[in-house]
Amino acid sequence: MNSIFIQIDENPNCAAMDGQIFQPRSEPRIVRQVQMERWCEVTGLDENWKECEAKAYLIDDSGDGACYLVVGGAWGLHFKDGDREWGEPYLLLGADGEDLKFA
């Protein structure tokens, strides 16, 4: 399986992020919601606010053994929780998948 390279350039959705490489242990799965403080919708975001799918990969994590890496588009991930909206470059969640709702 190919490595996942994430680099987010400066954009209006989230902070820029220097390139990082992750090694997936699974094929990607499409994610519709994630639980952070509470459940919220998640999509990927490409340039010009174009939505794309958010995808989760099971990856090795040096601290916990494994976790899910959730990635989006060129502008990262975009979250909606009622009236609140915000962005993040990527997200790491527990390997049990309890904080993810897949498509």
Side-chain angles (χ1 to χ4, degrees), residues 2-6 17 20-24 59 69 90 92:
N2 293 332
S3 296
I4 302 165
F5 178 73
I6 302 173
M17 185 189 88
Q20 291 190 4
I21 297 174
F22 298 91
Q23 187 58 47
I59 63 166
L69 168 69
Y90 68 95
L92 293 173

Side-chain angles (χ1 to χ4, degrees), residues 70-90:
V70 184
V71 298
W75 284 6
L77 295 167
H78 191 74
F79 301 93
K80 294 178 185 175
D81 177 9
D83 292 335
R84 284 188 333 150
E85 293 189 34
W86 71 98
E88 297 287 343
Y90 68 95

Side-chain angles (χ1 to χ4, degrees), residues 67 85 89 98:
C67 64
E85 293 189 34
E98 290 182 7

Side-chain angles (χ1 to χ4, degrees), residues 1-55:
M1 211 169 296
N2 293 332
S3 296
I4 302 165
F5 178 73
I6 302 173
Q7 180 169 329
I8 306 294
D9 294 329
E10 191 68 35
N11 70 79
N13 179 58
C14 67
M17 185 189 88
D18 291 334
Q20 291 190 4
I21 297 174
F22 298 91
Q23 187 58 47
R25 292 174 40 181
S26 69
E27 293 296 321
R29 295 177 66 186
I30 298 169
V31 178
R32 299 286 184 231
Q33 293 184 328
V34 296
Q35 184 172 355
M36 297 168 81
E37 296 169 9
R38 57 185 176 190
W39 286 102
C40 56
E41 295 177 25
V42 63
T43 60
L45 207 57
D46 278 329
E47 295 174 350
N48 299 317
W49 298 100
K50 183 179 177 191
E51 289 187 359
C52 61
E53 294 174 335
K55 297 178 183 177

